[in-house]
Amino acid sequence: MFGLFKKAGPQEVSLNSDQYKFEVQPDQNILDAALKAGIAFPHDCRVGSCGTCACKLTKGKIKPTADFSYVLDGEQLKSGMILACQSRAKTPVSIDVEIDDSVKVEATNSYIAVVKKVTPLTHDIMELTVEIDGLNHNGLAGQYAELMVKKVGGSRSYSFAKAPANENSKELSFYIRNVPKGKFSGWLFGKDPTGQKIELNTPFGSFYYRDKSTPMVCIAGGSGMSAVKAVLEQAALDQAERDAIFLFGARTQQDIYSQKELEVIKKQWNPNYNFEYIYVLNMEPEDSDWKGPRGLVTDYLKSDYIEKGKLNMKECQGFLCGPPPMIDAAIAAFTAEGMPNEEIFFDKFLDSGSK
Ligand SMILES: Cc1cc2nc3c(=O)[nH]c(=O)nc-3n(C[C@H](O)[C@H](O)[C@H](O)COP(=O)(O)OP(=O)(O)OC[C@H]3O[C@@H](n4cnc5c(N)ncnc54)[C@H](O)[C@@H]3O)c2cc1C
């Protein structure tokens, strides 16, 4: 009789025919349990929007916590695809998913951070620096942390603005854009938050530096500067044996920032290879003193690099970060020029208005 009310316990998850095994708690999703176990399960947004954690359920039963059909098409659903970030395990389950074994991804940790300082970078982007006692910064350049402020409610994702080796000890920095009517960014840009507490979990994300010898083509917009700059800092610190170009798309000169840090990357870059960064403005007044390129970053890449034969996109690796429409346009431009999908890495800065 009492057995009927037996509380559900943890369930075992097996990935790729026992390549990895871990336990998932009844109130935990499969992705979070995998990341806590230090497995490089592919993921990005972790809120059921991006589809990066899509995987095939081959055995067992799950309980979806969101409608997968927003992200997965009919064929995928029929073949047993699920979103790991929106799945609880009802029984032991087996899953097939491609795991990137080329890097060591660390298990996520939880911390209490304190706002150390906030520094305006442009009219709508702020650098947030937090201090954490006992921080073991085991993230990779390009990855992100999840930040929670009680007053705001819910969690928000923010990418590391620096390569781990460039951070001061016990500190993490983020570049955060002031989103109109946004709760977290409204809190940050409102009354000085210095000294306030933030709950923080890290590291997350499948966007990180991959070492290779092919040229890097990087595009960012808005606060997407953070993750792409961190990736480039890592490549510079590693003395990567490759060329790189970084196109930052912005509206006007008011939106330009991080020039000093990009100059440092340029100086540190492996002297046998080339690193260029270019700001491309699409809403700069015609009569202004701006001497740099104008228009869309993707058009500039095509006219000044691809058509002039400076880049063969089939042999490049792409790193993209920022607002979803810009990333979608850049992915389309990269693939149209023959860059293989598996060589394109990106983080779309999705927010609750993006669905
Ligand atoms: C992997 C990842 C990394 C990221 N990294 C960064 C980063 O480094 N820097 C950065 O600035 N951002 C980053 N973001 C975005 C960030 O996580 C937040 O989503 C963003 O800062 C907005 O948070 P907010 O609380 O200010 O806005 P929110 O309060 O979440 O609102 C965002 C917008 O949605 C609207 N909205 C809210 N609820 C709804 C609803 N139910 N329906 C329709 N519209 C709604 C709001 O009016 C507002 O315009 C990242 C996102 C992801 C997924």
Side-chain angles (χ1 to χ4, degrees):
M1 166 87 185
F2 290 116
L4 283 177
F5 299 104
K6 205 175 127 199
K7 222 176 142 215
Q11 302 289 355
E12 189 176 76
V13 181
S14 156
L15 298 185
N16 305 334
S17 311
D18 291 351
Q19 181 191 5
Y20 297 100
K21 275 184 177 179
F22 56 95
E23 274 196 346
V24 55
Q25 299 299 322
D27 57 352
Q28 196 178 30
N29 67 61
I30 292 173
L31 175 64
D32 276 348
L35 299 179
K36 272 239 174 286
I39 297 164
F41 202 110
H43 68 284
D44 275 312
C45 75
R46 296 170 44 251
V47 292
S49 296
C50 71
T52 310
C53 66
C55 54
K56 190 166 180 171
L57 180 70
T58 56
K59 207 163 133 198
K61 285 203 173 115
I62 58 117
K63 179 176 177 236
T65 51
D67 185 351
F68 297 156
S69 67
Y70 284 113
V71 178
L72 303 176
D73 62 30
E75 280 299 303
Q76 289 175 309
L77 292 170
K78 241 195 258 165
S79 71
M81 298 294 281
I82 60 167
L83 296 177
C85 75
Q86 302 298 323
S87 298
R88 306 257 160 95
K90 282 168 72 175
T91 65
V93 294
S94 299
I95 284 172
D96 282 352
V97 63
E98 206 170 305
I99 305 277
D100 177 8
D101 283 324
S102 66
V103 289
K104 171 121 180 62
V105 170
E106 299 288 344
T108 52
N109 281 312
S110 303
Y111 298 100
I112 297 296
V114 173
V115 177
K116 185 166 184 202
K117 60 178 178 187
V118 286
T119 315
L121 300 175
T122 70
H123 60 103
D124 69 349
I125 294 180
M126 186 85 89
E127 177 168 5
L128 163 68
T129 309
V130 300
E131 192 167 45
I132 302 170
D133 269 338
L135 173 69
N136 163 26
H137 188 7
N138 56 7
L140 300 168
Q143 286 194 299
Y144 69 90
E146 177 185 72
L147 277 63
M148 282 154 287
V149 170
K150 266 214 180 90
K151 260 190 216 163
V152 172
S155 62
R156 303 292 188 281
S157 305
Y158 294 108
S159 307
F160 306 137
K162 296 179 184 173
N166 286 352
E167 285 283 13
N168 290 328
S169 94
K170 297 206 286 184
E171 283 182 15
L172 292 176
S173 336
F174 307 95
Y175 293 169
I176 298 178
R177 188 172 74 88
N178 194 4
V179 174
K181 299 197 183 136
K183 286 196 190 139
F184 189 100
S185 55
W187 166 80
L188 184 73
F189 280 74
K191 202 169 149 233
D192 183 1
T194 307
Q196 293 205 37
K197 282 193 181 142
I198 300 180
E199 284 175 47
L200 190 147
N201 297 318
T202 190
F204 294 109
S206 303
F207 180 80
Y208 43 77
Y209 179 63
R210 270 103 171 151
D211 191 30
K212 233 183 158 172
S213 58
T214 50
M216 298 167 73
V217 183
C218 308
I219 291 184
S223 46
M225 169 72 80
S226 55
V228 170
K229 182 173 75 65
V231 158
L232 288 165
E233 284 181 358
Q234 192 62 55
L237 289 165
D238 292 352
Q239 291 291 284
E241 297 183 352
R242 63 198 308 193
D243 296 331
I245 59 158
F246 175 28
L247 305 180
F248 182 76
R251 278 158 297 178
T252 70
Q253 292 190 63
Q254 270 198 331
D255 303 307
I256 287 178
Y257 66 110
S258 281
Q259 198 155 7
K260 226 171 79 189
E261 289 88 341
L262 295 176
E263 275 302 311
V264 172
I265 294 175
K266 199 175 166 119
K267 281 204 190 94
Q268 281 183 345
W269 202 260
N270 184 327
N272 301 320
Y273 294 84
N274 192 33
F275 170 71
E276 285 174 28
Y277 68 90
I278 301 128
Y279 295 99
V280 184
L281 307 182
N282 71 343
M283 285 173 76
E284 178 68 7
E286 282 302 322
D287 56 356
S288 84
D289 60 354
W290 176 247
K291 303 262 186 312
R294 291 168 185 267
L296 296 175
V297 269
T298 41
D299 292 343
Y300 180 71
L301 178 71
K302 196 169 170 116
S303 62
D304 278 66
Y305 283 87
I306 300 169
E307 284 173 0
K308 289 185 181 164
K310 291 192 215 165
L311 276 181
N312 175 0
M313 296 289 278
K314 291 187 183 107
E315 290 166 6
C316 292
Q317 205 175 37
F319 292 88
L320 311 163
C321 214
M326 178 193 249
I327 304 304
D328 289 337
I331 294 172
F334 284 13
T335 50
E337 294 298 334
M339 190 185 283
N341 272 319
E342 60 276 16
E343 293 297 325
I344 305 176
F345 305 99
F346 59 88
D347 241 353
K348 288 186 193 178
F349 284 3
L350 294 157
D351 63 38
S352 32
S354 305
K355 274 191 184 171

